[in-house]
């Protein structure tokens, strides 16, 4: 669909009309098609468009005619479509007079190909493949340059159809195919200011992977080009493969807001088909759509289209993919803003302003220019304010960016930054935000790995940690919250990994990899243990640490932290902080191996968590008065009262009792806090608010799970015929009230001592109802409450162990294992970390009566030659000051016919 943008610029007293050339581009994987045999045989699926008259062929043509793109890429065109002329006939009928089909040379798939159809001439046609001697490509990628009229800009149009599948080999092949595509852009000297489009079926599926060698499962004739080196990274984010140029993904949706491009039986499928454009094109404005005939009900919906809406089933008949199309602007009548980033990439979690964005005007302006800036992923990169000003007389302004850490292993994220100002063409830049949450990995002995949990908000387990046991994540908490589970204990950006235990041990674990060339034999672990919430006289909950290898689990008792029970109940400000440190020796973590570090938050005892019906009044002599229902919620229940409904049942029909009212505890009951964290909830009802029987009752229902916690009845037993308790038989309350003998102000309720319903007994309280307080004779068991504990500022140190004896050099008296103490080696000047470095004096005969003795010296040392005749008593013979050079002295062999022994002693001078 050829179009011109009309832009009106008014300057003081005159207005001028400017035209900008536009172009519609599309990508469409024509996918599987239903073939109906002419002889009436059973229909079957095949690929390509097939001959005219087949449902798929005609539906594809209808979709293409409806979206009416100027240039379209078709994936999964069958070679038979090319050879039979079916593709040519369809193209001609739609006005596509220029066609290019990528060849199959050195491609693994010689059947399904990619075709480019254009209403405008090709200036050149190419296809992207493997270099000479290599065979890597599933399909060759067409790359054509199109001569677009009404503009001097010629469009480079590239359409990949990458290898499908989720296997390791499939992901590796997509990685190589993307390397070939981006390499072509580099070879052609394509820049961010060039007009180019890359669109097609990218098949971005499977998990992100790093390859250090060829994976198994590749075709037997697969041959990797010599220019490719490892490691290689596969990413589902296709923009991660680009550096310069770095295109921008055009967000395309169905007119109902869905983004799916695959599986035309629904709109919740994956996004396989993408349109990427150069920053220069994106800055001028791009409109896009995923065409779905189901929603094509009017020409006033979505982007402009040709003809009338299609039958709703057309997209599903045409292919298992949806067509994706976009309207581009190839030039602009306004002068452009330009922009540059201080760095092309930044690691998430870096300090604000680590990377900045400079916006430039084409010329100095006489008045202030107000910029509006935005990010297409504000969670990855954002601005402190959307408005910035370039003052009159200035050419530029520099804007700092914030790139918070999200504690999610999500690979590199490409963020599109856009700046616009009235009277100027917008400018965009793409910033690569690097993941800061890969697994912990040592790359060298002596390295220290650190984790401070800064910016961790507690919304999920902080990658690379996992929490396989312990419950939900509760967010950021300064110790004030009483709900159980994991959280980030902290204030502001200063988080920690914390847990508030109930009855289950909370476990946080992470893998630590040894990617160094050395065996890890000793590890030092340091962290800050913190307590953010206290319960006076509560449980002695503990934080314990274990190191887990392939062969053993090592408890590290020196790292244990026990919650304080002598502090005031509630949030602690500041928190209790205690340093913990331990050295683990005797390890043998080979290069490329790993170990797990497990932090366990262990409750010291159980906390009751039941909720029960505690007291009620439903009948009395005369007119019913003061009817009510009372519940008790034990301190271990970590939900809210709104989690429960009280459902009232009428049991007139004993076999099929019916619901007559539902009461929500959260919105209709009054809450009273009791000692030890128990909660009492009550509701007062009007006269006859509770029916009097026979066989009436009430159910206590946990709304989130639908579980009926209690189904009680009075004056008989019933089976519920409807409502949440349908099919259940009630449990009769063993006491009752009557309309003849029960005095006003009475109730029935539980008495005795306990922390759950079955520990109490039902009793009648004639004239002694206790609506809003504990029943007469009722005692709730005291409960020891939990302590809120966390760890922070974790450091893992790969301790040097030069002689690999399992003792770190830090504590090993002989680091290099040469049987010489480190202290002696340092004193004499040899290297205590090198077993081949030995202090070595020499001697030669100097006639029959003496020897020449030569010994190395170093500055700041005193050298003393001592003499003995029996190796027991020694006397000083000669003394020298170290010079940094060797000293030679003459030593007599015998004195008065007595044999002499000599030794060399060294001390610090």
């Amino acid at each position: 669909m050829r179009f011109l943008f009309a832009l009106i610029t008014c300057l003081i007293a005159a207005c001028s009309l400017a035209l900008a050339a536009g172009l519609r581009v599309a990508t469409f994987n024509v996918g599987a098609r239903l073939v109906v045999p002419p002889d009436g045989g059973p229909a079957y699926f095949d690929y390509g468009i097939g001959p005219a008259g087949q449902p798929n062929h005609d539906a594809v043509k209808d979709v293409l005619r409806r979206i009416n793109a100027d240039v379209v890429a078709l994936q999964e065109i069958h070679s038979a479509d090319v050879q039979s002329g079916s593709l040519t006939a369809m193209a001609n009928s739609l006005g596509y007079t220029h066609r290019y089909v990528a060849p199959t040379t050195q491609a693994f798939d010689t059947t399904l190909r990619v075709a480019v159809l254009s209403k405008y001439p090709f200036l050149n046609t190419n296809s992207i493949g493997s270099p000479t001697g290599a065979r890597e490509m599933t399909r060759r990628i067409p790359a054509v340059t199109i001569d677009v009229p009404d503009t001097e800009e010629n469009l480079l149009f590239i359409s990949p159809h990458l290898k499908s599948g989720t296997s390791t080999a499939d992901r590796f092949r997509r990685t190589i195919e993307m390397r070939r595509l981006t390499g072509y852009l580099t070879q052609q000297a394509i820049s961010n200011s060039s007009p180019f489009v890359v669109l097609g079926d990218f098949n971005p599926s499977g998990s992100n992977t790093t390859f250090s060698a060829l994976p198994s499962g590749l075709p037997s004739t697969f041959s990797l080009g010599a220019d490719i080196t490892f490691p290689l990274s596969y990413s589902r984010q296709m923009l991660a493969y680009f550096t310069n140029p770095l295109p921008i993904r055009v967000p395309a949706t169905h007119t109902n807001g869905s983004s799916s491009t695959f599986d035309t039986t629904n709109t919740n499928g994956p996004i396989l088909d993408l349109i990427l454009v150069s920053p220069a094109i994106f800055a001028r404005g791009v409109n896009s759509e995923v065409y779905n005939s189901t929603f094509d009900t009017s020409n006033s919906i979505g982007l402009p289209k040709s003809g009338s809406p299609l039958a709703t089933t057309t997209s599903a008949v045409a292919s298992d993919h949806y067509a994706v199309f976009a309207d581009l602007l190839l030039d602009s009548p306004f002068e452009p803003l330009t922009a540059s980033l201080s760095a092309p990439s930044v690691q998430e979690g870096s300090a604000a302003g680590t990377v900045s964005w400079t916006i430039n005007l084409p010329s100095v302006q006489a008045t202030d220019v107000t910029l509006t800036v935005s990010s297409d992923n504000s969670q990855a990169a954002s601005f402190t304010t959307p408005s910035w000003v370039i003052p009159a007389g200035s050419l530029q302004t520099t804007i700092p960016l914030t790139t918070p850490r999200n504690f999610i292993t999500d690979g590199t994220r490409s963020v599109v930054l856009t700046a616009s100002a009235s009277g100027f063409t917008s400018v965009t830049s793409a910033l690569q935000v690097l993941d800061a949450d890969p697994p912990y990995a040592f790359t060298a002995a002596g390295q220290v790995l650190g984790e401070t949990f800064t910016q961790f908000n507690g919304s999920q387990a902080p990658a690379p940690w996992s929490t396989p046991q312990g419950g939900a994540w509760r967010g950021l908490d300064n110790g004030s919250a009483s709900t159980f589970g994991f959280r980030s204990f902290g204030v502001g950006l200063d988080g920690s990994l914390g847990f508030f235990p109930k009855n289950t041990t909370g476990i946080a674990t992470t893998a630590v990899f040894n990617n160094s060339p050395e065996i890890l034999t000793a590890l030092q672990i340091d962290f800050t243990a913190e307590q953010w919430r206290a319960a006076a006289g509560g449980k002695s909950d503990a934080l314990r640490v274990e190191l887990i290898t392939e062969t053993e689990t090592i408890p590290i008792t020196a790292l244990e932290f026990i919650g304080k029970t002598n502090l005031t109940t509630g949030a602690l400000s500041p928190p209790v902080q205690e340093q913990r440190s331990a050295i683990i020796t005797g390890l043998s973590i080979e290069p490329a191996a790993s170990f797990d570090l497990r932090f366990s938050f262990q409750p010291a005892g159980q906390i009751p968590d039941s909720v029960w019906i505690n007291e009620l009044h439903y009948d009395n002599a005369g007119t019913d008065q003061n009817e009510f229902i009372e519940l008790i919620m034990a301190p271990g229940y970590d939900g809210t009262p709104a989690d429960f409904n009280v459902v009232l049942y009428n049991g007139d029909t004993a076999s099929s009792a019916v619901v007559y009212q539902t009461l929500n505890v959260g919105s209709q009951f009054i809450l009273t806090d009791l000692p030890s964290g128990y909660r009492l909830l009550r509701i007062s009802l009007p006269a006859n608010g509770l029916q009097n029987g026979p066989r009436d009752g009430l159910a206590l229902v946990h709304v989130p799970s639908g579980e009926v916690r209690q189904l009680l009845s009075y004056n008989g037993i019933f089976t519920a015929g409807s409502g949440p308790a349908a099919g259940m038989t009630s449990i009769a309350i063993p006491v009752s009230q009557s309309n003849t003998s029960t005095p006003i102000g009475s109730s029935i309720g539980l008495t005795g001592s306990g922390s759950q319903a079955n520990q109490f007994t039902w009793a009648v309280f004639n004239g002694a109802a206790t609506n809003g307080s504990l029943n007469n004779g009722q005692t709730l068991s005291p409960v020891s409450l939990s302590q809120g504990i966390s760890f922070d500022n974790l450091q893992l140190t790969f301790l040097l162990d030069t002689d690999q004896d399992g003792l770190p050099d830090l504590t090993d008296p002989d680091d290099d294992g040469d049987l010489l103490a480190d202290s002696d080696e340092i004193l004499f000047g040899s290297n205590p970390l090198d077993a081949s470095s030995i202090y070595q004096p020499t001697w030669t005969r100097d006639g029959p009566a003496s020897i020449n003795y030569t010994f190395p010296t170093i500055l700041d040392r005193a050298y003393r030659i001592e003499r003995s005749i029996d190796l027991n008593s020694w006397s000083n013979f000669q003394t020298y000051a170290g010079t940094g050079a060797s000293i030679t002295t003459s030593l007599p062999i015998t004195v008065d016919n007595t044999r002499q022994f000599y030794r060399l002693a060294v001390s610090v001078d």
Side-chain angles (χ1 to χ4, degrees):
M1 174 177 282
R2 186 78 176 121
F3 59 97
L4 295 175
F5 286 103
L7 301 173
I8 300 177
T9 304
C10 295
L11 300 175
I12 306 177
C15 292
S16 61
L17 181 66
L19 296 178
L23 188 78
R24 176 167 288 183
V25 298
T27 180
F28 193 10
N29 184 326
V30 297
R33 60 185 174 88
L34 182 66
V35 178
V36 180
D39 60 4
Y44 61 92
F45 282 97
D46 201 352
Y47 290 89
I49 57 174
Q54 286 285 342
N56 166 266
H57 179 105
D58 295 344
V60 169
K61 184 162 64 175
D62 289 342
V63 170
L64 293 178
R65 180 181 291 113
R66 179 70 171 139
I67 63 178
N68 195 19
D70 299 301
V71 189
V72 61
L74 301 178
Q75 297 84 39
E76 296 196 10
I77 291 294
H78 201 288
S79 289
D81 297 330
V82 180
Q83 295 160 4
S84 67
S86 177
L87 176 65
T88 299
M90 175 185 285
N92 287 338
S93 69
L94 295 171
Y96 295 111
T97 54
H98 305 276
R99 297 171 294 279
Y100 175 70
V101 182
T104 59
T105 308
Q106 286 296 96
F108 286 100
D109 188 346
T110 60
T111 301
L112 301 181
R113 302 158 71 179
V114 182
V116 179
L117 310 181
S118 175
K119 296 180 180 178
Y120 308 119
F122 297 138
L123 293 175
N124 58 62
T125 58
N126 281 304
S127 64
I128 302 169
S130 301
T132 302
R135 191 180 187 204
E136 310 153 330
M137 307 293 286
T138 307
R139 286 165 284 271
R140 295 185 73 89
I141 301 172
V144 301
T145 303
I146 301 168
D147 184 10
V148 181
D150 301 320
T151 177
E152 295 181 358
E153 301 280 11
N154 298 317
L155 179 70
L156 175 60
F157 187 96
I158 299 175
S159 181
H161 180 195
L162 304 184
K163 178 69 176 72
S164 63
T166 59
S167 73
T168 302
D170 294 332
R171 283 173 276 159
F172 181 79
R173 292 173 67 178
R174 283 197 291 277
T175 302
I176 300 303
E177 290 165 359
M178 284 301 298
R179 287 287 294 268
R180 295 304 175 203
L181 190 160
T182 57
Y184 178 83
L185 293 173
T186 300
Q187 293 165 8
Q188 299 298 311
I190 304 301
S191 69
N192 287 332
S193 61
S194 304
F196 68 88
V197 176
V198 181
L199 74 178
D201 182 356
F202 290 82
N203 280 310
S205 56
S207 59
N208 293 350
T209 308
T210 298
F211 298 97
S212 57
L214 291 175
S216 60
L218 294 172
S220 59
T221 57
F222 185 94
S223 177
L224 188 65
D227 59 324
I228 300 291
T229 58
F230 293 98
L232 295 170
S233 294
Y234 169 74
S235 174
R236 294 183 60 181
Q237 297 192 21
M238 290 298 124
L239 292 176
Y241 296 97
F242 296 86
T243 52
N244 187 21
L246 180 59
I248 296 170
R249 179 186 163 194
V250 176
T253 63
H254 302 244
T255 54
N256 77 332
S258 168
S259 300
S260 167
T261 69
F262 176 72
D263 189 357
T264 48
T265 62
N266 67 76
T267 58
N268 297 313
I271 303 172
L272 304 184
D273 308 88
L274 308 174
I275 298 179
L276 315 178
V277 301
S278 65
I281 291 178
F282 190 87
R284 299 181 188 120
V286 178
N287 295 311
S288 59
E289 183 179 327
V290 178
Y291 179 76
N292 184 346
S293 60
T294 300
F295 308 125
D296 184 14
T297 58
S298 168
N299 281 339
S300 63
I301 298 175
L303 296 183
K305 302 176 185 69
S306 295
S308 300
L310 302 179
T312 56
T313 59
T314 305
S315 290
V317 174
S319 173
D320 51 0
H321 288 248
Y322 293 103
V324 186
F325 64 105
D327 291 337
L328 316 178
L329 189 63
L330 296 187
D331 52 21
S332 172
F334 295 133
E335 287 188 288
L337 299 171
T338 58
S340 62
L341 287 162
S342 60
S345 63
V346 63
Q347 188 173 67
E348 65 177 14
S350 300
T354 299
V355 65
S356 58
W357 196 33
T358 299
I359 312 299
N360 303 283
L361 295 171
S363 59
V364 171
Q365 302 295 300
T367 58
D368 291 351
V369 175
T370 299
L371 300 171
T372 299
V373 296
S374 63
S375 164
D376 73 340
N377 186 347
S378 58
Q379 292 183 338
S382 61
F383 305 98
T384 55
T385 177
S387 295
W388 296 79
V389 173
I390 300 178
S394 298
L395 277 173
Q396 63 181 214
T397 189
T398 297
I399 306 170
L401 282 154
T402 300
T403 54
R405 183 179 174 191
N406 64 0
F407 289 88
I408 299 173
T409 303
D410 51 3
T412 298
R413 291 173 287 170
S414 184
V415 181
V416 178
L417 310 173
T418 302
S420 59
S422 177
F424 299 90
T425 300
S426 299
V427 65
T428 61
S429 296
L431 174 67
Q432 301 285 66
V433 180
L434 308 179
D435 190 17
D437 307 302
Y440 301 128
F442 289 112
T443 58
Q447 183 180 2
V448 178
L449 302 177
E451 179 63 81
T452 64
F453 299 105
T454 300
Q455 301 179 341
F456 175 47
N457 63 12
S459 61
Q460 82 290 315
W465 293 83
S466 63
T467 48
Q469 178 178 299
W473 279 90
R474 303 295 189 178
L476 185 65
D477 178 18
N478 66 356
S480 299
S482 59
T483 52
F484 300 103
F486 287 101
R487 66 251 287 129
S488 175
F489 275 125
V491 177
L493 298 178
D494 184 15
S496 63
L497 199 163
F499 188 65
F500 188 45
K502 183 173 66 173
N503 300 327
T504 302
T505 296
I507 294 177
T509 183
T510 188
V512 182
F513 291 84
N514 180 14
N515 291 344
S516 80
E518 307 290 338
I519 298 175
L520 189 157
T521 64
L523 178 76
Q524 181 169 330
I525 302 175
D526 298 274
F527 65 86
T528 306
E530 300 179 337
Q531 182 172 351
W532 285 82
R533 183 174 177 83
K539 298 187 301 172
S540 298
D541 300 323
L543 173 64
R544 296 186 171 95
V545 185
E546 298 166 303
L547 189 150
I548 305 168
T549 70
E550 290 183 351
T551 58
E552 63 179 332
T553 297
I554 305 171
I556 311 171
T557 56
L559 299 180
E560 181 178 85
F561 174 79
I562 305 296
K564 312 302 180 186
T565 62
N566 59 346
L567 304 174
T568 302
T569 297
L572 300 176
S573 180
V576 172
Q577 293 184 322
E578 294 184 4
Q579 297 304 122
R580 291 291 184 268
S581 182
I583 293 176
I584 303 91
T585 60
L587 301 173
S588 183
I589 311 299
E590 299 280 345
S594 66
F595 62 89
D596 286 347
L597 199 60
R598 182 165 65 196
F599 282 69
S600 298
F601 300 87
Q602 299 178 355
Q606 299 292 296
I607 299 178
D609 59 1
S610 59
V611 180
W612 68 87
I613 298 168
N614 195 58
E615 185 182 9
L616 67 151
H617 170 54
Y618 63 89
D619 201 4
N620 57 256
T623 302
D624 289 349
Q625 296 181 35
N626 304 322
E627 294 189 351
F628 69 93
I629 303 170
E630 180 184 273
L631 310 178
I632 296 291
M633 186 173 286
Y637 183 74
D638 57 353
T640 67
D643 292 344
F644 288 91
N645 284 340
V646 175
V647 181
L648 307 183
Y649 275 90
N650 180 310
D652 280 349
T653 302
S655 61
S656 185
V658 297
V659 174
Y660 67 89
Q661 189 172 4
T662 297
L663 306 169
N664 180 258
V665 177
S667 60
Q668 296 177 265
F669 283 57
I670 297 172
L671 170 66
T672 301
D673 288 323
L674 300 176
S676 294
Y678 288 92
R679 287 173 282 181
L680 184 149
L681 300 118
R682 71 186 191 278
I683 183 172
S684 297
L685 300 170
N688 295 316
L690 284 175
Q691 296 184 2
N692 295 341
R695 297 180 302 275
D696 293 330
L698 64 169
L700 179 63
V701 181
H702 183 245
V703 176
S705 65
E707 177 189 3
V708 178
R709 297 284 181 91
Q710 288 180 291
L711 178 60
L712 305 179
S713 59
Y714 42 87
N715 298 338
I717 297 173
F718 62 76
T719 298
S722 63
M728 297 177 62
T729 299
S730 66
I731 295 175
I733 297 174
V735 296
S736 62
Q737 297 182 304
S738 76
N739 59 8
T740 59
S741 60
T742 298
I744 295 173
S746 300
S747 69
I748 57 175
L750 298 175
T751 188
S753 177
S755 59
Q756 56 191 33
N758 61 8
Q759 295 172 336
F760 300 95
T761 56
W762 284 95
V764 175
F765 304 116
N766 281 330
T770 56
N771 180 10
S773 60
L774 287 181
N775 302 333
N776 294 320
Q778 183 178 34
T779 301
L780 297 176
S781 299
V783 173
S784 294
L785 298 179
S786 299
Q787 319 296 337
I789 298 171
S790 71
F791 67 92
D792 197 3
N793 304 316
L794 175 67
Q795 283 194 343
L796 307 176
T797 305
F798 186 143
L799 294 176
L800 294 171
D801 180 12
T802 304
D803 57 3
Q804 293 285 287
D805 63 353
L807 295 177
D809 294 354
L810 189 67
T811 59
D812 191 345
D814 179 13
D815 289 342
D816 55 9
D818 60 0
L819 304 182
L820 296 174
D822 293 345
S823 57
D824 289 343
E825 291 204 61
I826 293 171
L827 192 61
F828 277 87
S830 60
N831 186 348
L833 302 179
D834 183 358
S836 66
S837 174
I838 300 174
Y839 186 77
Q840 195 74 49
T842 61
W843 63 273
T844 59
R845 288 295 294 263
D846 184 22
S850 62
I851 62 171
N852 287 327
Y853 183 68
T854 302
F855 54 93
T857 70
I858 57 177
L859 296 173
D860 301 324
R861 296 289 190 273
Y863 296 83
R864 185 175 68 256
I865 297 176
E866 297 176 344
R867 183 168 61 178
S868 173
I869 59 174
D870 57 9
L871 297 178
N872 289 317
S873 299
W874 295 87
S875 61
N876 182 33
F877 180 67
Q878 296 174 352
T879 302
Y880 300 91
T883 64
S886 293
I887 294 176
T888 300
T889 184
S890 180
L891 302 175
I893 297 175
T894 61
V895 176
D896 297 330
N897 296 318
T898 302
R899 184 173 56 179
Q900 305 295 301
F901 298 95
Y902 298 93
R903 70 181 182 186
L904 180 67
V906 182
S907 60
V908 176
D909 192 358

